[in-house]
Amino acid sequence: MYRTVPQLDSVISQLATSFPQLCTKVQLPEPSVQGRPVFALRLRGGPGGNRRGVLFVGGTHARELMNPDALVELAVDLVTSYLNGTPVVYGGRTWTALDVKLVLESLDVWIVPCANPDGRHRVLTVDDMWRGNLRDNPGTPCDGVDLNRNADFVWGVTEGQTSCNPCSEVFAGSGAFSEPETRNIKHLLDTRHIHSFADVHSFSELVLYPWGHAHSQTDDPAQRFTGLPTGTCAPIGTPGYREYITPRDQLRFTTVAQRVVEAIAAVRGRTYTPQTGRALYATTGTQSDYVFSRHIANPALHKTYGFTLETGPRVETVEDSFHPRDPTLIKRDAKAGVLALAQQSVCAFDLIGVRLLGRQTEVDAVRRVRDEQLATTESGREWIALIERVELPVAALLLADERLAGRAAALIERAGKLVADEKLAVTDEDADQGLALLAELGERAGAKDEQVRVDLKAVSTALDRARRVPSAEVVRELMERGPSSK
């Protein structure tokens, strides 16, 4: 029923061999503790190499058998759709061929189906409830490190479900990234531009996002994990400690998690809950928290949004909850959730920059205005949320229509120059060209989605007000006046 480690490896080998124009198999730098190779699969369609990526990891906890199978099956589904021009259908949720094309031609989709091959082999042959890897913990009769407590994020702080006891199944290991299996995931994060990450686990029907070690707050930036001690083998020592997250990032996490939940619900009506990791129970050293923490600990690194999916419900026995007799329906839910997350990672601006302008200069300039100015006010964040709502339908139109894409590229190029020089004003020609494009986008994308039409109309209204106004004043206006303001 469940694939062995060699069978999982065989699937990605067959994809890479049969469809080298779309699939690349990569052996990660370090073998597992027992010497097994660990592989990743990259899916990339169309031209352009400087892309944002998404990374999906399965099998971190060995006994959660169905998620590695779901990830390789998702890869097969995406390849089939892309090459044949057919939709991906999971129950009541459909991704059109154009949806899939947009994902694969905008992103590098990285999949590590089985991060912990030693553990999976043990579950399939010896102990079906094994959780960790197969590290021999010196001086004890116990084996195994919990790979989802081993990352360099508040490592070794025994908050909640984390332990320094080598005989605990939530043992954090001898040090942060002490295990080759976790270092392999870090390697991908270090060497690829990963925008979104999901560690796919079981069970409980949850979509989790940071933080896991403490409850979140948006008011006090001084409460940062960078000021917490690590390796203490004791709980966080600050009473009432709450971890800071920016309002912009909190909005992004809650919005994307809700869209993932909605995609899963459309498959067969299952209700997944979006929440912080801490709302489940306290943890430290988890992969999804580490992924998001990297740019905070080291501002030179790019930001990666980290999620954890907990697939499937709790049923009568824990064993059947982790690896049910027939996981078919749960795997569909999981694939829908992962694909929805990939879709939410598509950026229309990146699509224009990479494919049409051949550079990111202007796109990066616009993005800096978003992150450094608009994100700091409630009205500005409303504009960001609006753009993220319309991004997917607009990106799909641009991918399918080169004429529209060319017009959009010219406007992005002009916008980049405007925000780079605050004294430059929006000309009547700028406004007229933008309004004409927005009208066509609204007519075509808005015909399928009334909210898109309303949102694009709000952008048109703001653009019309911006005529002959210096770009710095336009940005200030957006920061003070949201889309719904009259």
Side-chain angles (χ1 to χ4, degrees):
M1 178 195 301
Y2 291 104
R3 292 176 177 87
T4 64
V5 173
Q7 287 170 337
L8 291 169
D9 294 343
S10 177
V11 174
I12 61 176
S13 293
Q14 289 173 21
L15 288 171
T17 300
S18 301
F19 311 108
Q21 75 279 23
L22 186 59
C23 303
T24 303
K25 180 181 179 181
V26 176
Q27 182 168 340
L28 298 180
E30 298 193 54
S32 67
V33 167
Q34 293 189 334
R36 291 181 173 86
V38 181
F39 296 103
L41 178 70
R42 188 195 68 189
L43 304 180
R44 174 195 285 176
N50 184 24
R51 304 181 181 186
R52 63 171 55 188
V54 291
L55 172 58
F56 305 125
V57 175
T60 300
H61 287 156
R63 62 196 179 195
E64 299 163 11
L65 293 176
M66 54 191 159
N67 302 312
D69 284 25
L71 288 176
V72 296
E73 291 168 19
L74 173 63
V76 172
D77 294 343
L78 293 175
V79 169
T80 301
S81 170
Y82 185 81
L83 295 178
N84 296 334
T86 53
V88 170
V89 181
Y90 299 134
R93 182 64 164 91
T94 297
W95 281 266
T96 68
L98 182 58
D99 291 333
V100 174
K101 183 178 182 183
L102 180 61
V103 168
L104 294 187
E105 294 194 2
S106 302
L107 304 171
D108 281 342
V109 179
W110 288 91
I111 296 173
V112 180
C114 187
N116 178 13
D118 297 348
R120 186 177 182 87
H121 177 73
R122 183 180 179 92
V123 168
L124 290 171
T125 58
V126 177
D127 178 356
D128 72 349
M129 287 297 290
W130 190 259
R131 176 181 171 100
N133 69 353
L134 269 293
R135 169 67 65 195
D136 179 14
N137 295 321
T140 78
C142 304
D143 295 336
V145 169
D146 185 339
L147 300 178
N148 204 33
R149 303 293 186 271
N150 189 237
D152 189 11
F153 175 76
V154 199
W155 177 85
V157 174
T158 53
E159 194 73 20
Q161 297 295 309
T162 304
S163 177
C164 287
N165 180 353
C167 292
S168 167
E169 69 172 12
V170 292
F171 175 47
S174 60
F177 289 117
S178 61
E179 305 311 298
E181 296 90 349
T182 53
R183 291 195 296 269
N184 279 331
I185 304 305
K186 182 178 183 296
H187 167 80
L188 285 172
L189 295 165
D190 288 342
T191 59
R192 312 295 172 177
H193 183 191
I194 304 299
H195 175 268
S196 299
F197 168 94
D199 195 11
V200 189
H201 286 258
S202 297
F203 53 89
S204 291
E205 297 187 317
L206 299 171
V207 178
L208 304 176
Y209 49 86
W211 297 105
H213 65 299
H215 292 294
S216 302
Q217 50 87 16
T218 59
D219 301 320
D220 183 5
Q223 292 201 52
R224 285 287 205 187
F225 66 89
T226 49
L228 295 175
T230 62
T232 61
C233 291
I236 294 173
T238 306
Y241 180 86
R242 298 172 72 89
E243 184 70 32
Y244 179 72
I245 187 169
T246 68
R248 156 72 177 137
D249 287 329
Q250 185 178 63
L251 175 64
R252 176 68 183 172
F253 276 119
T254 56
T255 299
V256 172
Q258 183 59 39
R259 290 174 182 166
V260 170
V261 164
E262 290 168 358
I264 294 171
V267 175
R268 59 186 180 113
R270 300 301 301 180
T271 301
Y272 277 56
T273 301
Q275 63 183 47
T276 64
R278 179 62 183 83
L280 178 61
Y281 47 68
T283 55
T284 58
T286 65
Q287 295 194 118
S288 57
D289 274 357
Y290 165 73
V291 162
F292 181 60
S293 75
R294 284 163 54 92
H295 78 284
I296 301 168
N298 180 359
L301 299 178
H302 59 262
K303 183 186 299 183
T304 302
Y305 289 97
F307 295 84
T308 299
L309 273 62
E310 296 282 357
T311 64
R314 182 183 183 101
V315 294
E316 290 183 3
T317 69
V318 175
E319 291 82 0
D320 283 343
S321 301
F322 282 124
H323 35 74
R325 293 178 180 85
D326 183 0
T328 302
L329 296 180
I330 298 173
K331 287 192 295 182
R332 285 184 197 164
D333 296 338
K335 290 188 288 185
V338 169
L339 183 48
L341 179 55
Q343 195 176 33
Q344 291 301 316
S345 304
V346 170
C347 176
F349 296 108
D350 276 358
L351 184 67
I352 291 168
V354 172
R355 291 176 65 96
L356 298 173
L357 297 178
R359 61 184 185 273
Q360 288 288 92
T361 307
E362 293 85 355
V363 170
D364 288 343
V366 172
R367 186 174 283 125
R368 281 193 295 272
V369 170
R370 179 197 68 186
D371 293 342
E372 297 173 9
Q373 297 184 65
L374 294 181
T376 64
T377 70
E378 185 174 349
S379 292
R381 290 191 292 273
E382 289 177 6
W383 283 110
I384 293 172
L386 181 152
I387 294 302
E388 290 180 346
R389 284 197 300 270
V390 304
E391 204 162 19
L392 273 177
V394 166
L397 283 177
L398 299 182
L399 184 66
D401 189 324
E402 291 186 7
R403 177 185 59 85
L404 271 182
R407 291 166 61 192
L411 288 171
I412 292 293
E413 187 172 23
R414 174 61 177 162
K417 292 176 181 177
L418 284 169
V419 299
D421 185 345
E422 295 183 344
K423 296 178 181 179
L424 286 179
V426 177
T427 66
D428 285 331
E429 182 181 5
D430 294 334
D432 290 340
Q433 290 178 351
L435 290 169
L437 177 63
L438 288 166
E440 185 166 352
L441 292 172
E443 181 179 344
R444 294 173 63 177
K448 298 179 180 178
D449 188 329
E450 175 64 14
Q451 184 61 56
V452 171
R453 187 191 66 77
V454 170
D455 286 342
L456 291 174
K457 179 64 176 175
V459 177
S460 297
T461 300
L463 178 57
D464 203 30
R465 285 199 302 262
R467 291 177 184 272
R468 305 175 193 175
V469 178
S471 62
E473 292 184 26
V474 173
V475 174
R476 281 195 292 272
E477 168 89 358
L478 295 174
M479 292 170 66
E480 296 170 0
R481 189 172 179 176
S484 59
S485 300
K486 301 297 183 184

